[in-house]
Amino acid sequence: MNKVRIIEDGVTYFADGRYEARIKVLEVPRSLKFPDGFKVSCVLLDKNSKTVRLVLDNHQPFGYHIHTALPQNKNARLQVDVKNYAEAIRLFFREARKVANEEK
C-alpha cells in the first residue's frame, strides 16, 4: 500500500468548549517509523491560553507515547503500552478529561 488513507479525523470539546481535542489517524505504509501502519496524532488545546496541553502520538524510536508536561517541557514523553491506535485514543481521552477537570 503506497497511499495514505484517513481513518479518523475529528474534534471533541471538553469543559464547555475550553479544551479542543483533535484526533487524526492515518493508515500509512508500514515502515521503521510506523511499524503498525498507522500514524496517530491526538492533541489537546487549551483555547483560553492558546497552548497545547497534551499530545499522544506514535513514531519510532518511541512507539506510542504521550507528552504530559506541556507546554513547559516539550521533550518529556511517557511511553504507553497499548495494543493498537484505538486503545491509544481511549487513553488520550482519559488523560484529556483529567486535564480538563483539574483546571476548571
Side-chain angles (χ1 to χ4, degrees):
M1 176 184 105
N2 291 331
K3 292 185 177 181
V4 172
R5 184 168 68 107
I6 298 171
I7 302 297
E8 191 167 333
D9 188 7
V11 177
T12 301
Y13 296 93
F14 296 94
D16 297 324
R18 175 179 174 182
Y19 294 95
E20 178 179 292
R22 298 178 186 172
I23 309 299
K24 189 162 200 167
V25 178
L26 303 176
E27 186 175 15
V28 299
R30 289 178 185 260
S31 65
L32 290 176
K33 189 169 185 178
F34 302 108
D36 67 350
F38 295 98
K39 179 179 180 181
V40 177
S41 173
C42 302
V43 178
L44 182 69
L45 302 167
D46 181 336
K47 293 172 59 179
N48 287 358
S49 65
K50 299 182 181 4
T51 58
V52 175
R53 291 300 321 278
L54 189 67
V55 171
L56 183 143
D57 58 346
N58 69 316
H59 55 79
Q60 291 306 319
F62 306 107
Y64 285 94
H65 59 280
I66 193 163
H67 301 262
T68 57
L70 297 173
Q72 296 83 5
N73 187 348
K74 294 178 178 148
N75 293 320
R77 58 179 61 85
L78 175 64
Q79 192 166 359
V80 295
D81 185 24
V82 295
K83 293 178 180 61
N84 53 46
Y85 74 84
E87 195 173 306
I89 291 170
R90 286 191 297 273
L91 171 71
F92 172 78
F93 276 121
R94 281 194 307 270
E95 294 301 315
R97 284 185 191 95
K98 286 180 190 176
V99 170
N101 288 332
E102 288 172 359
E103 297 183 15
K104 282 186 176 178

